[in-house]
Amino acid sequence: MRLLTADHVLPVSSPPIEDGGVLVSEGRILAVGSAADLRQDHPDVPEDRFAGSAILPGFVNCHSHLELTVLRGLLDDLDHDFASWLIRLTQLRAETLSDEDIADSALAGALEGLKAGVTCFGDIGRWGLAGFEALKSTGLRGVLFQETEFSPENATAESDLAALLEKIGTLREAETEKVKVGISPHSPYTVSPALFERLAEASREKGLKVTIHAAESDAEQELLTGRGGFFAKIFEQYGVRWTPPGKRSIEYLSSAGILDTTPLLAHCTKADENEIRLIAESGSKIAHCPKSNAKFGHGVAPLSRFLVSGIEVGLGTDSMVSNNLCDMLEEARFAALAARIASASDRFIQPSEALKLATLGGAEALGLAGETGSLEPGKAADLIAVSLREVSRLPVNDVESALVFASGAGDVEMTMVAGEVLYRDGECPGADADRLRARMNEIGSRLKEAL
Ligand SMILES: [Zn+2]
């Protein structure tokens, strides 16, 4: 048993506690309260004091692609054209990177997350095993969503399903208490209607969580509603047999039956009021990725509309190609600021709400709120300490504001998952930072040559 205390403890599910503490035993939270009370009740328990800091639940990054970390910054000159970016990225990933490269890329991403206070990832992997192993070997919690291949034609639905289920079978055998497996039909335009139907069945039968990129861009909405656009040209060019459903993205997913699986929908930047209603009514969730949306110029997702509609929303950094940082405090800050710019008439996103999005909201979005996302007795001890000692953070008039509007990943000083300290004061015990640094540089030069 150990007692962690700090100037501020933020359970997130209840108001912040000044001079608070968290009692941890066997990987779980036993009690949360004032440091003085906890000391008095448990006088023999060793105390770990984080002076001038805040203790809060670990961040839940509910939409990432850890395996793409090594592509950071590589295609930034193509960003104005999302469709060409996606095609170029897929080529580079398939042609230039070996399995070992992908594995190290995912590992680097997982360690970057740990240092930034992420304790749980909702990670999507085309090479699912890489992200899965990275989460397991670093001690993180998460759901690895195995992604489908490019498969928009009905004719291949059976073989597409068989290929996916084979990968899922292998991953499931290696599941742990902390790391689970789900499926990710990539998007409404890369998965056939027949495959969506089969995947909805498989999700129900096997209890697999589902995540889908949805309503992300104008090009996607154009293609699906039959108004042409870039994706339509590509489909034509490659002779893909695919008929536009004549519906908007979320409407289409609803009619394809996949919303019945209450999937986690990534982006939803272009969701209109009817689509938001469909998401809310189906109990589907949203991975809000404000920085990725902005970087591609996709626009500002209607965050306050999502929240007003009662949808469970978490934050995702998306991949390091499209962000380029895994910094959940920056993501929360950007979410609040972008929402305020986009719609001054809607409700202002408060720092407390932004912080909830980055923690409990993500846990809810991943269906893991019973286990993680807030500091409550009985939940796993997934928590972090963030320093507020820098003069530039002071004075701390409002701790939620100090964290969301004045802090960043570099202020995280300790990350604990299930009671185990996985990062402290710049070090992840057991991680070979020098080897990874060399590998990132080496793979990076190879990718540059391949461009
Ligand atoms: Zn994504």
Side-chain angles (χ1 to χ4, degrees):
M1 203 182 290
R2 70 203 279 194
L3 176 61
L4 310 173
T5 63
D7 293 17
H8 311 270
V9 167
L10 294 93
V12 170
S13 50
S14 54
I17 304 162
E18 293 296 300
D19 195 11
V22 184
L23 192 66
V24 172
S25 174
E26 293 179 3
R28 303 227 154 241
I29 296 171
L30 274 188
V32 182
S34 93
D37 289 351
L38 289 167
R39 262 183 225 121
Q40 200 175 16
D41 295 347
H42 306 274
D44 301 327
V45 173
E47 179 175 339
D48 204 349
R49 175 81 190 163
F50 293 89
S53 300
I55 292 176
L56 57 152
F59 297 122
V60 178
N61 184 351
C62 72
H63 184 80
S64 65
H65 300 261
L66 291 174
E67 63 189 25
L68 301 183
T69 303
V70 74
L71 295 158
R72 183 182 349 247
L74 192 68
L75 299 169
D76 281 0
D77 56 341
L78 288 178
D79 275 356
H80 63 279
D81 184 345
F82 180 60
S84 356
W85 176 89
L86 196 59
I87 290 166
R88 194 76 192 96
L89 173 72
T90 309
Q91 274 172 352
L92 274 173
R93 188 164 62 165
E95 290 164 12
T96 316
L97 300 176
S98 69
D99 288 353
E100 291 74 29
D101 296 338
I102 298 276
D104 278 337
S105 180
L107 181 60
L111 289 168
E112 179 179 355
L114 265 187
K115 289 187 168 189
V118 176
T119 52
C120 180
F121 277 97
D123 190 54
I124 297 178
R126 190 63 67 95
W127 283 270
L129 194 60
F132 188 74
E133 289 301 328
L135 294 176
K136 278 172 67 173
S137 67
T138 48
L140 277 153
R141 187 181 304 283
V143 181
L144 187 287
F145 295 96
Q146 173 68 53
E147 195 170 57
T148 50
E149 298 290 334
F150 180 76
S151 48
E153 296 191 13
N154 274 333
T156 60
E158 288 306 329
S159 56
D160 295 332
L161 179 74
L164 186 73
L165 290 183
E166 196 185 325
K167 288 179 196 162
I168 292 290
T170 312
L171 291 170
R172 272 221 140 163
E173 280 171 23
E175 274 188 337
T176 65
E177 193 61 37
K178 287 190 288 183
V179 184
K180 303 291 182 195
V181 179
I183 49 176
S184 178
H186 171 259
S187 72
Y189 54 96
T190 51
V191 173
S192 66
L195 184 56
F196 268 126
E197 210 174 290
R198 301 286 190 290
L199 292 175
E201 277 166 31
S203 157
R204 271 190 294 272
E205 275 168 24
K206 298 175 189 295
L208 290 162
K209 294 178 197 289
V210 178
T211 194
I212 313 168
H213 293 86
E216 183 177 3
S217 65
D218 283 328
E220 173 185 339
Q221 295 286 25
E222 277 168 11
L223 175 77
L224 291 167
T225 51
R227 288 178 290 135
F230 183 87
F231 283 126
K233 277 191 213 127
I234 296 288
F235 277 28
E236 207 176 299
Q237 192 182 328
Y238 287 94
V240 177
R241 280 166 294 171
W242 190 82
T243 316
K247 294 185 168 80
R248 293 176 65 84
S249 182
I250 308 294
E251 292 167 351
Y252 169 55
L253 292 177
S254 174
S255 68
I258 196 78
L259 286 198
D260 298 343
T261 66
T262 66
L264 173 58
L265 302 168
H267 300 285
C268 298
T269 327
K270 301 295 175 187
D272 66 12
E273 276 300 316
N274 185 48
E275 291 178 291
I276 293 172
R277 184 183 58 78
L278 288 171
I279 296 168
E281 284 177 4
S282 64
S284 303
K285 301 131 179 43
I286 293 176
H288 180 47
C289 307
K291 278 185 67 196
S292 169
N293 295 340
K295 192 172 175 225
F296 287 117
H298 286 154
V300 181
L303 172 62
S304 56
R305 298 296 311 140
F306 298 159
L307 297 175
V308 166
S309 306
I311 298 167
E312 291 177 333
V313 183
L315 286 184
T317 58
D318 212 344
S319 79
M320 292 305 99
V321 207
S322 41
N323 192 307
N324 307 353
L325 284 171
C326 178
D327 183 339
M328 292 294 284
L329 284 169
E330 182 170 286
E331 206 69 41
R333 173 161 58 249
F334 196 83
L337 296 177
R340 289 180 182 193
I341 289 174
S343 179
S345 59
D346 269 345
R347 82 173 197 228
F348 249 38
I349 301 296
Q350 296 298 322
S352 57
E353 287 180 293
L355 214 50
K356 187 192 164 194
L357 291 173
T359 53
L360 187 57
E364 287 171 348
L366 287 171
L368 295 175
E371 185 70 359
T372 191
S374 59
L375 305 181
E376 293 178 68
K379 282 200 181 184
D382 294 356
L383 51 86
I384 61 175
V386 182
S387 164
L388 295 166
R389 290 187 296 276
E390 279 294 319
V391 177
S392 56
R393 311 290 181 269
L394 300 175
V396 179
N397 286 309
D398 171 333
V399 67
E400 288 161 328
S401 155
L403 287 164
V404 171
F405 287 134
S407 304
D411 298 311
V412 174
E413 53 186 348
M414 188 275 293
T415 304
M416 172 186 278
V417 179
E420 207 182 329
V421 175
L422 300 179
Y423 169 73
R424 184 135 192 189
D425 301 328
E427 298 297 326
C428 291
D432 189 344
D434 288 339
R435 186 191 74 85
L436 266 186
R437 196 172 294 117
R439 284 284 285 146
M440 290 303 102
N441 284 330
E442 181 253 312
I443 303 166
S445 344
R446 221 178 326 124
L447 281 164
K448 232 173 165 181
E449 270 169 39
L451 271 183

